């Protein structure tokens, strides 16, 4: 912490910034759920004691600066290619823990092929898929995951499925494949969902340590800036609208 | 003494208000202070009501909150 505050005797620390995180401030906008998801990954690296042998693959998108936030090694992949880069690192160095952290534009648009084939091969990697239904970094264009009727800068009157296609349900698609070990969809719009999402992320990393294979946690996230909502309204939009199209829960779990 | 104490890292806080909304006991509110990035930071407006539950810290997207909780052993001894 950058603040020194005297805590009276008789108190124990119940919550603090995970050791896996550096002191660098997050570059996300105020209230963006990317920050919660980034912190959950750091908490899991701490709890499993794997920080020293973990390599993250950063995407192109608002999470592009992940290497600044974490105290572990990172590779920043070309747009959408994180699962392919992770495959190479994990196959060359199976002793390392390898994870990707990707937005929906990265994972579900330009990188669909790399994602599907890594999942189908059952690569022993962990994938954190941050679905905010939009291209956040580039100014709020429609993503394959944008909801029908949702307004974006490229669908100013709302996404029209007959013209722009339907929301792409990547997790449902991947859950049909034989390769993956674990596919789960979570959210972080309130405390209880944060706790559940953390459990799923923990499992997705533990699966890799146990050699179970491809584990992906999709986490429904927000983009208050490009959705043109307050952080509170954005959380409510996920809870009430996004979860109707993208229901929460485990889609595949080989146990 | 309250059961919990929340310490706000004013330079990390972006004034998003998610903690203010999430606290089950309405402990937190916006202060009149702004940090060097121009964000209006939060503070413990009602520190006596804090339970140390850490709900606020769990929903903070900027890891700006540290939570301290009264030690059980101490509580038991009083
Ligand atoms: C090859 C290539 N094509 C396009 C872009 C422009 N671009 C940068 S980020 C991005 C999409 C980001 O959206 P998403 O992956 O959902 O991440 P978010 O910012 O929403 O977290 C695009 C299309 C690029 N950088 N490289
Ligand atoms: S543009 Fe959207 S996704 Fe990107 S940091 Fe800002 S709020 Fe988050
Ligand atoms: S620790 Fe719990 S009671 Fe105290 S401010 Fe945070 S949410 Fe409120
Ligand atoms: S949730 Fe975090 S960043 Fe947002 S107002 Fe509260 S302390 Fe500040
Ligand atoms: Mg996105």
């Amino acid at each position: 912490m950058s603040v020194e505050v005297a805590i009276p005797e008789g108190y124990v620390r119940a919550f603090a910034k995970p050791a896996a995180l550096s002191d660098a401030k997050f570059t996300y906008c105020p209230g963006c759920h990317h920050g919660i998801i980034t912190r959950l990954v750091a908490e899991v690296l701490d709890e499993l004691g794997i920080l020293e042998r973990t390599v993250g693959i950063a995407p192109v998108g608002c999470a592009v600066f992940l290497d600044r936030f974490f105290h572990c090694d990172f590779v920043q992949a070309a747009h959408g290619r994180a699962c392919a880069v992770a495959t190479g690192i994990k196959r060359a160095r199976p002793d390392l823990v390898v994870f990707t952290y990707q937005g929906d534009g990265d994972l579900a648009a330009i990188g669909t092929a790399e994602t599907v084939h890594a999942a189908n091969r059952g690569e022993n990697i962990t994938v954190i898929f941050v679905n905010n239904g939009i291209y956040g970094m580039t100014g709020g264009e429609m993503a394959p995951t944008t909801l029908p009727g949702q307004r974006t800068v490229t669908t100013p009157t709302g996404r029209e499925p007959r013209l722009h296609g339907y929301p792409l349900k990547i997790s449902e698609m991947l859950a049909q494949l034989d390769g993956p070990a674990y596919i789960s969809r979570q959210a972080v719009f309130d405390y209880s969902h944060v706790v559940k999402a953390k459990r799923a992320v923990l499992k997705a990393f533990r699966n890799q340590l146990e050699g179970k294979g491809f584990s992906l946690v999709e986490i429904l996230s927000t983009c208050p800036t490009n959705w043109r909502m307050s952080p509170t309204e954005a959380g409510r939009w996920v809870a009430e609208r996004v979860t109707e199209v993208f229901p929460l829960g485990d889609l595949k779990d080989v146990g | 003494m309250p059961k919990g104490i929340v310490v706000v890292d004013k330079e990390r806080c972006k004034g998003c208000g998610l903690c203010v909304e999430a606290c089950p006991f309405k402990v937190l509110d916006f202060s009149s202070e702004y940090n060097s990035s121009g964000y209006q930071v939060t503070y413990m407006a009602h520190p006596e009501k804090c339970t140390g539950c850490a709900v606020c810290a769990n929903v903070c997207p900027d890891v700006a909150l540290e939570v301290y909780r009264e030690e059980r052993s101490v509580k038991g001894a009083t």
Side-chain angles (χ1 to χ4, degrees):
Chain A
M1 301 272 288
S2 64
V3 278
E4 289 303 327
V5 178
I7 299 296
E9 250 181 78
Y11 286 83
V12 288
R13 194 150 61 186
F15 189 102
K17 184 160 70 64
L21 289 180
S22 72
D23 283 335
K25 285 186 246 173
F26 290 167
T27 43
Y28 310 124
C29 305
C32 173
H33 285 184
H34 256 303
I36 302 176
I37 299 163
T38 299
R39 188 198 79 233
L40 290 185
V41 172
E43 287 179 1
V44 165
L45 298 186
D46 278 5
E47 282 174 33
L48 294 173
I50 54 176
L51 181 67
E52 291 302 314
R53 59 186 176 108
T54 295
V55 178
I57 318 295
V60 171
C62 287
V64 70
F65 295 126
L66 281 178
D67 64 292
R68 300 183 186 176
F69 310 151
F70 280 86
H71 278 312
C72 64
D73 284 342
F74 260 91
V75 174
Q76 200 271 303
H79 202 13
R81 275 57 180 180
C83 283
V85 174
T87 297
I89 296 174
K90 186 67 184 182
R91 287 191 176 207
R93 289 286 306 273
D95 54 313
L96 300 179
V97 179
V98 182
F99 78 94
T100 76
Y101 181 114
Q102 304 172 255
D104 46 330
D106 192 82
L107 182 145
I110 195 168
T112 311
E114 284 77 5
T115 308
V116 170
H117 287 286
N120 194 46
R121 294 190 304 267
E123 297 295 341
N124 192 27
I125 59 173
T126 303
V127 176
I128 307 301
F129 169 29
V130 181
N131 178 4
N132 59 5
I134 208 156
Y135 293 179
M137 187 204 200
T138 42
E141 299 83 358
M142 189 197 90
T145 43
T146 299
L147 301 193
Q150 187 178 342
R151 277 188 233 168
T152 68
V153 294
T154 47
T155 56
T157 56
R159 182 178 191 171
E160 169 52 65
R162 287 170 61 91
L163 187 61
H164 310 117
Y166 289 88
L168 192 63
K169 300 182 178 181
I170 283 280
S171 291
E172 278 81 352
M173 285 164 58
L174 299 183
Q176 301 305 311
L177 301 174
D178 295 324
Y182 181 55
I183 307 285
S184 182
R185 184 182 290 121
Q186 302 289 330
V188 291
F189 54 77
D190 65 18
Y191 174 71
S192 71
H193 286 88
V194 169
V195 172
K196 280 187 215 155
K198 165 129 174 234
R199 226 177 280 148
V201 172
L202 187 65
K203 181 170 181 139
F205 275 92
R206 200 172 269 149
N207 280 354
Q208 184 178 160
L209 298 178
E210 294 170 358
K212 286 189 175 150
F214 191 91
S215 297
L216 177 147
V217 184
E218 171 179 352
I219 305 182
L220 302 181
S221 189
T222 55
C223 181
T225 301
N226 291 301
W227 293 0
R228 290 162 169 73
M229 294 181 194
S230 72
T232 301
E233 286 165 349
R236 203 173 301 135
W237 169 269
V238 174
E240 291 173 6
R241 301 293 301 280
V242 184
T243 53
E244 278 189 355
V245 177
F246 294 108
L248 303 180
D250 290 350
L251 291 143
K252 179 170 188 189
D253 186 1
V254 298
Chain B
M1 293 294 265
K3 290 202 189 89
I5 298 171
V6 174
V7 181
V8 183
D9 185 332
K10 292 180 197 166
E11 280 306 310
R12 286 193 77 97
C13 176
K14 291 184 186 148
C16 72
L18 290 182
C19 59
V20 174
E21 199 214 5
C23 171
F25 307 101
K26 302 273 168 261
V27 171
L28 304 168
D29 207 342
F30 292 103
S31 84
S32 50
E33 258 185 86
Y34 291 79
N35 66 19
S36 67
S37 308
Y39 293 120
Q40 191 177 7
V41 302
T42 52
Y43 79 120
M44 291 183 88
H46 301 285
E48 71 288 350
K49 294 187 194 160
C50 182
T51 63
C53 66
V55 165
C56 53
N58 269 282
V59 301
C60 172
D62 282 283
V63 207
L65 300 176
E66 236 173 45
V67 181
Y68 294 82
R69 203 176 285 158
E70 201 179 27
E71 227 170 342
R72 278 189 193 284
S73 56
V74 172
K75 205 169 131 195
T78 52

